[in-house]
Amino acid sequence: MGSAQEVIGKITKQDGEEIFMYPRGADAPTYVGDYIIEGSMGLTSASLIYFSKEGELKKIKQNKVKEMSYGNQLFQSFHIYGSRLDRLHEVIMQNDEYILTSYFSLANYIYIHRKSDGKTLEAKVKHSKKRKSDYKTLEKLVPKYFSDCTELMQRIRSNIRNTDYRVLYGNVSVANNKMFKGIQNYICN
């Protein structure tokens, strides 16, 4: 059972119900099925895993979730490319018209959505795999929708320039979010 009572996140379900998330307790399980849960929250391909106030491990289908805030991160539900499945995308940046999200499925992908109707305008643009591709995406795709974010463009450019893209874990390349490292729900004005 977890002893900490501080709320660390909030889930808003599609029906409007709110669920609060709490830190994992010292004796909380590490595995859920085939998935390792390292922190107080985990996303599988179809589910969101979190801890209740009582320290119990809980699981909810992602398609039942409209939005989730976790620490400084904001996740919103959008379709994934090539399917009608709704999944939680991390909101990286937004302005009055558009939202840029990052979705992870074996690799990191950029999605750009129109705010007014949630329509996906750009989908499954791979990022954080190769430095050259990230620079190309930053110079061609991002300004098309976020020309008002010049200060943030410098920060993203710095992330690309100062990140080791060759990081390996064993013989496998690490699929960390290199391009948008440290950027969460940035509001462009």
Side-chain angles (χ1 to χ4, degrees):
M1 294 279 195
S3 59
Q5 298 299 316
E6 69 178 294
V7 173
I8 60 169
K10 181 175 82 171
I11 299 164
T12 304
K13 292 174 59 177
Q14 295 289 357
D15 64 8
E17 178 187 352
E18 293 182 345
I19 300 170
F20 295 98
M21 303 162 64
Y22 294 85
R24 94 184 275 132
D27 58 347
T30 305
Y31 291 93
V32 176
D34 293 336
Y35 298 97
I36 299 171
I37 305 303
E38 292 180 346
S40 295
M41 182 273 294
L43 288 172
T44 70
S45 58
S47 298
L48 164 60
I49 299 163
Y50 64 97
F51 292 89
S52 70
K53 186 174 185 175
E54 296 75 30
E56 296 173 3
L57 186 72
K58 298 287 188 174
K59 187 172 164 181
I60 185 172
K61 296 275 187 199
Q62 283 194 40
N63 64 358
K64 303 283 186 205
V65 178
K66 178 180 180 181
E67 184 174 284
M68 175 186 67
S69 60
Y70 179 73
N72 293 327
Q73 296 173 290
L74 175 65
F75 293 81
Q76 292 181 333
S77 182
F78 291 103
H79 290 314
I80 55 174
Y81 179 76
S83 124
R84 287 281 187 213
L85 297 175
D86 287 337
R87 294 294 181 259
L88 291 171
H89 295 230
E90 182 179 2
V91 175
I92 302 297
M93 58 200 282
Q94 57 182 304
N95 59 22
D96 291 339
E97 296 179 64
Y98 307 106
I99 301 170
L100 184 148
T101 63
S102 182
Y103 176 75
F104 181 82
S105 177
L106 302 177
N108 291 290
Y109 296 100
I110 292 172
Y111 283 72
I112 297 178
H113 316 275
R114 190 169 38 223
K115 268 189 170 178
S116 62
D117 59 7
K119 181 179 180 186
T120 301
L121 304 172
E122 304 284 345
K124 211 168 181 182
V125 177
K126 196 177 281 189
H127 74 87
S128 297
K129 181 82 171 153
K130 294 183 178 181
R131 187 183 321 270
K132 186 176 178 180
S133 296
D134 281 358
Y135 275 128
K136 184 177 176 183
T137 298
L138 180 64
E139 300 306 324
K140 298 209 185 290
L141 177 70
V142 177
K144 183 176 173 182
Y145 301 96
F146 295 94
S147 59
D148 53 348
C149 274
T150 53
E151 181 181 310
L152 186 60
M153 295 303 141
Q154 294 299 331
R155 188 167 165 198
I156 296 168
R157 193 172 286 108
S158 177
N159 277 352
I160 296 168
R161 182 177 53 249
N162 297 315
T163 300
D164 185 357
Y165 278 72
R166 299 168 298 143
V167 175
L168 298 176
Y169 183 76
N171 291 331
V172 179
S173 178
V174 177
N176 290 338
N177 184 344
K178 299 168 179 86
M179 188 172 179
F180 302 114
K181 182 179 179 183
I183 303 169
Q184 294 127 356
N185 196 22
Y186 187 92
I187 309 294
C188 302
N189 295 329

